[in-house]
Amino acid sequence: MGQSYELGSLQDEQDCQRLGDILCQSFRVLKSDWLDYSRMIGLDNFRVLRGVQGIVGGLVVYPMGQWWGGKCLPLAGIAAVGIAPEYRGQGAARCLMEQTLGEVYEREFPLSALYAATGPLYRSVGYEQGGTRCYWQIPLEGWAGIQGSLPMVPLEGEEILGHCEGVYRQFAARCSGYLDRHPALWQMTLNPQEGQVFAYGVGELEGYIVLSQRSHAAERILDICDWAALTNEAQRTLWHFLSLHRSQLKYCRWYGGMIDPRLALLPEQSAQILSSELWFLRIVNVPLALELRPYPSLITTELHLAIEDPIIGENQGCFVLEVAGGQGRVKRGGRGSLRLTIRGLAPLYSGLYSAAQLSYWGQLEGEEAEIAIASQVFAFPVPAMPDMF
């Protein structure tokens, strides 16, 4: 008979030390890194799983937001999921995730996201691929002719966050999947562990860039920690500014989506993706998530969904999604003619995969005409999330 576990918060310094030991071993980090990380995140955001012998594992729940079609929806970001080695393979990790999802549902988060170190665990509790995160590289030579007319203004100290936060929020609203960052993510973005950071504003609050420089394998790299441009001229100014580093640095690198519209301003297709990964999304509250999500404004229709969710019982069953004027309304009941699991709903909701694609792979069942309508209803640009958490 399996051991029983209970989810809870950190109660004292001993709990904090025990969880730190588990996470340091799980992620191969130093104790000093754990202390810095826990202070930055806030101990209230950690959850631990207790068994008969005490704490067996834990994780972090980041309360954040995520942008979808110009609208910011509440999001529970899950990170630092770790189980003590002696308790692995006994169902503790799944129990930790199930109970955490129960709490996240009670806190009325419609969505949850994470980066999956192992797919089977997170898929077993309803997460599925939600969007892209790609590591881009472009040589700084070859596009020096691009010009920008706006001034670049050095930023220092507290003015960096003050300038960047407002511009980022406007930029992120245009990019499905981008985060409304938790304060800890802002700190990690603007203060990376390696290298000195330089920050610049573009014009009158039209953009910004935060960058650092390093050498790697005899190559000199300019790393973009964060950047955003609200106008065409601001982005052209940023490209021009980056090209001015070409005499000292060979490549520019940054994280973005699989499709990065900023590259359309460059004369040549010289950028390449060095690596890529997919982050995972979980629909925590089906009616709330469907009603908060924006939809194409010219579509008026209804979809009859049948959802299977073995973890959160309130999501189980049939729902009617009525779409009109760019908004959705959800009610219980209906024919249930579009059948899918809570896992299959995640990439449909995010727009990563269309209803037609999901049906080809057996993730969605229904009549061809209704599947075609669903593909239109849930259409979004390919979602991206440059941040790692």
Side-chain angles (χ1 to χ4, degrees):
M1 191 170 181
Q3 183 176 163
S4 115
Y5 299 106
E6 183 178 351
L7 187 74
S9 302
L10 293 170
Q11 300 296 321
D12 50 35
E13 183 61 32
Q14 186 176 354
D15 281 1
C16 187
Q17 182 175 338
R18 170 59 176 162
L19 179 60
D21 290 341
I22 292 171
L23 296 184
C24 285
Q25 185 172 4
S26 298
F27 298 100
R28 302 181 302 280
V29 298
L30 300 175
K31 199 57 102 36
S32 59
D33 293 332
W34 154 249
L35 294 174
D36 291 341
Y37 181 70
S38 61
R39 291 191 194 102
M40 182 171 58
I41 301 301
L43 295 180
D44 289 347
N45 291 321
F46 287 90
R47 294 295 179 268
V48 292
L49 193 69
R50 288 185 169 87
V52 176
Q53 302 300 321
I55 293 175
V56 303
L59 49 70
V60 172
V61 180
Y62 284 91
M64 297 188 284
Q66 190 172 37
W67 290 96
W68 296 104
K71 190 174 181 182
C72 189
L73 276 61
L75 176 82
I78 305 296
V81 181
I83 300 294
E86 63 269 29
Y87 293 100
R88 294 174 190 168
Q90 302 174 38
R94 181 183 168 94
C95 184
L96 173 62
M97 289 303 304
E98 287 182 354
Q99 293 195 33
T100 298
L101 283 169
E103 179 190 305
V104 168
Y105 179 87
E106 291 299 323
R107 292 171 63 182
E108 298 186 342
F109 282 98
L111 305 173
S112 177
L114 53 77
Y115 284 93
T118 171
L121 167 64
Y122 298 108
R123 283 183 162 126
S124 75
V125 294
Y127 287 85
E128 190 48 86
Q129 295 171 352
T132 66
R133 181 178 188 254
C134 300
Y135 192 33
W136 285 90
Q137 172 177 281
I138 187 169
L140 289 170
E141 289 187 315
W143 40 278
I146 191 168
Q147 296 295 317
S149 62
L150 298 176
M152 297 292 296
V153 182
L155 303 173
E156 295 182 356
E158 295 182 359
E159 69 176 339
I160 298 177
L161 179 59
H163 180 99
C164 296
E165 202 167 16
V167 175
Y168 170 83
R169 188 174 178 84
Q170 295 178 68
F171 180 76
R174 308 172 182 175
C175 307
S176 291
Y178 272 48
L179 296 177
D180 186 13
R181 291 171 175 154
H182 184 277
L185 290 187
W186 271 112
Q187 188 170 340
M188 287 186 275
T189 298
L190 301 181
N191 300 282
Q193 292 182 341
E194 298 181 2
Q196 183 179 0
V197 168
F198 304 90
Y200 297 85
V202 184
E204 294 292 330
L205 294 176
E206 292 182 54
Y208 68 87
I209 188 167
V210 181
L211 53 89
S212 63
Q213 303 174 18
R214 63 186 170 94
S215 296
H216 175 70
E219 294 179 340
R220 295 160 299 163
I221 308 297
L222 187 154
D223 285 312
I224 300 177
C225 307
D226 195 26
W227 60 335
L230 301 181
T231 65
N232 175 71
E233 190 59 30
Q235 186 58 55
R236 293 182 64 86
T237 298
L238 282 173
W239 282 127
H240 173 68
F241 176 74
L242 290 170
S243 75
L244 298 177
H245 293 76
R246 64 188 182 277
S247 63
Q248 297 294 325
L249 300 164
K250 186 173 183 180
Y251 294 108
C252 168
R253 294 178 180 176
W254 73 95
Y255 284 97
M258 185 70 69
I259 305 298
D260 196 327
R262 292 174 285 212
L263 294 168
L265 293 177
L266 296 179
E268 300 291 345
Q269 299 184 63
S270 54
Q272 61 179 260
I273 294 175
L274 298 181
S275 63
S276 65
E277 58 188 317
L278 292 162
W279 43 270
F280 278 46
L281 185 69
R282 215 281 188 188
I283 311 302
V284 179
N285 185 316
V286 168
L288 184 58
L290 290 175
E291 289 195 338
L292 289 178
R293 184 192 193 276
Y295 298 92
S297 59
L298 298 181
I299 291 180
T300 300
T301 189
E302 64 179 30
L303 296 174
H304 290 250
L305 306 172
I307 307 295
E308 180 184 338
D309 188 346
I311 307 298
I312 300 176
E314 291 84 351
N315 292 333
Q316 183 86 12
C318 294
F319 301 88
V320 179
L321 169 62
E322 299 174 345
V323 175
Q327 297 182 329
R329 189 168 72 89
V330 178
K331 60 184 180 182
R332 282 276 182 182
R335 302 188 303 273
S337 48
L338 276 179
R339 300 173 297 278
L340 68 168
T341 66
I342 197 70
R343 264 185 58 200
L345 182 58
L348 177 66
Y349 185 96
S350 74
L352 181 65
Y353 303 130
S354 69
Q357 290 171 319
L358 291 169
S359 72
Y360 299 152
W361 304 331
Q363 297 293 315
L364 182 150
E365 297 178 355
E367 295 296 326
E368 185 174 342
E370 195 162 8
I371 290 173
I373 294 172
S375 291
Q376 297 178 49
V377 167
F378 287 98
F380 262 154
V382 177
M385 185 192 296
D387 293 294
M388 169 64 72
F389 58 90

